[in-house]
Amino acid sequence: MTIFVVIEKSFIFRLGLTKVIGDTFESAEIHFADEVSELLESRMQSFDMVIWAIDTLSKMVNVGKAVTQIKEKYSVAGVILYDLYPQAGKIPQYISSGIDGYVTSNSDLLEFAECFRQLRSGKFYITTDAALMVAHNLRRFSGSGPKISVLSKGERVVAEHLCRGTRVSEISRLMDRKVTTISTIKRRIFERLEIENIFQLRDMMRSTV
């Protein structure tokens, strides 16, 4: 029997993860908590895996410190972070705190199945997109790799809109350009900056402020 604790309020997430766990493990018991403090204050004696979904509100808590407290209080086999809004600069901190797996919201829930398999083999697991974010961040701070300055003025405007969360269709309206044109510019921005998602773009834009 593998015992899980899932820290997340979302019913949809709980439902999806329950199915993945059921498909991956022959026998599993799942407990749920809304917040990490609820787990730390509980009277549970032990469990095998903690899956903690962290968002912007969760990050108001010291995630690294909370992971250390979980590890100290319980004899857990693994702590997995599911990051809804990953930041390249934070990932190494989470890894240093002692987590055993890191999965981002860019991944399908089925990614957890592979994460579980790796943890059961005693291996650390990180999704490919997160590993690339960290590598890209290291390159940026080491002075290598492309800079925002490689973008044209028009590309920079589109990049700023994307970082604000503006949809491609809305950007096309604001700039009086075709949707296909904005989509092409977006793709070119990603190619020129050697990035794969908006999170990485935001990190690069912040570094220029």
Side-chain angles (χ1 to χ4, degrees), residues 40-129:
L40 291 170
E41 293 167 5
S42 75
R43 295 183 179 180
M44 289 186 67
Q45 297 299 311
S46 65
F47 38 81
D48 300 297
M49 289 190 192
V50 176
I51 301 166
W52 181 12
I54 56 174
D55 54 19
T56 50
L57 290 177
S58 302
K59 291 175 182 178
M60 293 176 69
V61 175
N62 187 321
V63 175
K65 182 178 179 181
V67 170
T68 301
Q69 290 175 325
I70 292 171
K71 291 276 192 177
E72 289 177 349
K73 184 173 182 179
Y74 304 101
S75 55
V76 294
V79 175
I80 303 168
L81 289 186
Y82 176 64
D83 202 339
L84 296 172
Y85 303 102
Q87 291 177 279
K90 291 285 187 181
I91 298 172
Q93 296 175 31
Y94 299 151
I95 295 173
S96 297
S97 71
I99 64 170
D100 303 276
Y102 183 86
V103 180
T104 74
S105 55
N106 296 323
S107 308
D108 191 285
L109 273 179
L110 292 175
E111 187 90 35
F112 278 102
E114 180 59 28
C115 183
F116 296 151
R117 281 190 285 270
Q118 294 294 325
L119 263 64
R120 291 171 83 179
S121 300
K123 299 176 182 177
F124 175 79
Y125 185 81
I126 183 170
T127 52
T128 301
D129 67 299

